[in-house]
Amino acid sequence: MAKVRIPLPWRRLTGGQALVEAPGGNLQEVFASLESQYPGFRERLFEDNGEIKRFVNVFVNGDDIRVLDGAATEVDAGDEVLIIPAVAGGNQGS
């Protein structure tokens, strides 16, 4: 099972849990498992076309999946998956 760190804004889906475990041999399977356990997860993570949203960063053991195999990135038991949604900011100053 992969260990998935849930971003604070998404924790209401997981009952407040910051870290959950999900089975799967690759990220696509892990994310499908998360959707099964915590409905609503997929819509926050994926575009309608099945691609991970542009403003969501995903790392496996510290490596950005965009330089790996994207959602097809393989995961092993105990691997850590970190999800970081971008946060829009306010005024950066003038």
Side-chain angles (χ1 to χ4, degrees), residues 2-71:
K3 297 175 183 177
V4 183
R5 294 209 173 270
I6 306 299
L8 184 61
W10 298 7
R11 290 184 191 162
R12 65 182 178 86
L13 295 174
T14 61
Q17 296 179 84
L19 182 68
V20 298
E21 291 188 340
N26 61 40
L27 284 176
Q28 191 72 34
E29 293 172 0
V30 168
F31 294 148
S33 175
L34 287 174
E35 176 63 24
S36 174
Q37 295 176 65
Y38 311 107
F41 194 88
R42 180 173 176 71
E43 69 188 46
R44 286 166 178 75
L45 186 60
F46 290 96
E47 298 287 354
D48 291 339
N49 66 5
E51 296 292 321
I52 292 177
K53 290 186 176 186
R54 190 171 117 194
F55 297 108
V56 176
N57 297 302
V58 180
F59 299 85
V60 174
N61 298 326
D63 294 322
D64 188 336
I65 66 163
R66 287 184 172 92
V67 298
L68 298 173
D69 291 325

Side-chain angles (χ1 to χ4, degrees), residues 72-83:
T73 299
E74 292 184 10
V75 293
D76 293 317
D79 281 356
E80 183 175 272
V81 177
L82 175 62
I83 301 168

